[in-house]
Amino acid sequence: VGAGPLLVADRVSVGYGDLTVVREVSVELNAGRTTALFGRNGAGKTTLLGGLSGLLPAGTGTIHLDGRDITSLKPWTRAAKGIALVQEGKRIFRGLTVHENLVLALPRGLTRAAAAERIDQVCDRFPVLAVRRNHRAGSLSGGQQQMLALGSALAAGPRVLLIDEPSSGLAPVVVQELLTAVSRFKQEGVAVLLVEQLVEEVLNGHAEQVVVLDGGKLVHSADATSTSVDEIAASYVG
Ligand code: ATP
């Protein structure tokens, strides 16, 4: 890894069929830093994550990971290169146990020992998952399910983590726990892109960079320290 940004999206447009939603947006994600992505409902945040993860094709523009062009790579190939997506709504396998969910999230080709070690690492990081290891994922609380979604992302061994509204529908005390868990990824060198509505909480120590979408366009891109919480909260949150 060089000194430059890990993931670079350059004037990327993303949409659905003939409908372009995200228009010529440029974003740089750095290893060991969290970039907060704000915007009203419908601004295109989820669509941008779709474009970066490869779930949605980029209509125009380029995406580079570590200097290599990944624009035309399929989502599973991008995942294998270390781009993890945690979608909104706790998309886990509810009928499987916590342990089975984590096993499914492991990259292919690990030895049995390496796989066991990786699962142990995830359980060390998220103790609640160790406690609930053999419980059905669907029986966990909302916050625990979100922890499992993050744990599954960790099991994949990400270099870039894209997270869509992890706090959605959760109690404030759980939200702080989740944001702290998200910050652990960056402390270990992951480049994080975090979509959140909770501007003050996120800018209060959890993000270093801020980008804002409005009507599918990038309207703000700056350091967190030079970004006004009040202005973002008043103008650009759903
Ligand atoms: P929210 O917080 O409400 O999820 P968002 O900023 O994530 O907002 P997107 O979900 O990216 O916004 O939606 C941006 C626009 O794209 C909206 O106008 C939405 O109607 C449209 N859109 C989203 N998904 C589809 C789809 N599958 N087909 C067509 N249009 C879509």
Side-chain angles (χ1 to χ4, degrees):
V1 183
L6 187 53
L7 186 129
V8 180
D10 185 24
R11 286 164 290 168
V12 165
S13 298
V14 194
Y16 307 87
D18 288 339
L19 174 69
T20 302
V21 171
V22 167
R23 294 170 186 277
E24 305 213 332
V25 167
S26 299
V27 182
E28 295 188 351
L29 304 182
N30 295 282
R33 286 205 211 152
T34 293
T35 301
L37 170 55
F38 298 121
R40 294 186 186 92
N41 290 331
K45 304 178 297 293
T46 300
T47 304
L48 179 59
L49 296 196
L52 299 179
S53 65
L55 286 183
L56 298 171
T60 64
T62 58
I63 305 168
H64 285 79
L65 178 69
D66 245 355
R68 297 209 178 90
D69 193 337
I70 62 163
T71 316
S72 59
L73 297 185
K74 299 290 184 195
W76 50 88
T77 311
R78 293 192 205 186
K81 290 186 180 298
I83 299 182
L85 173 66
V86 176
Q87 291 177 286
E88 198 179 351
K90 308 175 248 350
R91 298 203 186 178
I92 53 175
F93 298 102
R94 298 172 56 85
L96 302 180
T97 66
V98 166
H99 183 255
E100 287 163 345
N101 268 272
L102 296 177
V103 169
L104 280 176
L106 292 170
R108 299 172 68 170
L110 290 186
T111 64
R112 206 173 254 264
E117 191 180 330
R118 182 74 67 85
I119 300 276
D120 285 347
Q121 279 169 4
V122 174
C123 288
D124 283 350
R125 174 90 76 82
F126 300 100
V128 67
L129 300 184
V131 174
R132 302 276 161 158
R133 204 167 171 136
N134 297 315
H135 288 59
R136 238 173 33 83
S139 73
L140 303 181
S141 71
Q144 291 167 347
Q145 290 187 20
Q146 190 67 61
M147 286 293 184
L148 177 56
L150 286 178
S152 297
L154 180 63
R159 303 170 67 208
V160 175
L161 179 63
L162 312 170
I163 317 178
D164 204 350
E165 299 202 31
S167 76
S168 184
L170 301 177
V173 55
V174 183
V175 169
Q176 284 309 326
E177 240 179 89
L178 275 172
L179 291 177
T180 302
V182 168
S183 283
R184 288 287 301 275
F185 280 85
K186 90 178 168 205
Q187 286 154 11
E188 288 168 16
V190 176
V192 179
L193 182 61
L194 170 65
V195 175
E196 253 305 339
Q197 306 277 355
L198 304 169
V199 180
E200 191 168 356
E201 286 83 346
V202 169
L203 292 185
N204 214 334
H206 289 291
E208 290 72 40
Q209 307 282 133
V210 180
V211 292
V212 179
L213 288 182
D214 194 26
K217 291 191 172 157
L218 191 75
V219 293
H220 177 93
S221 177
D223 286 348
T225 48
S226 53
T227 297
S228 152
V229 171
D230 293 344
E231 193 187 327
I232 301 282
S235 313
Y236 298 119
V237 172

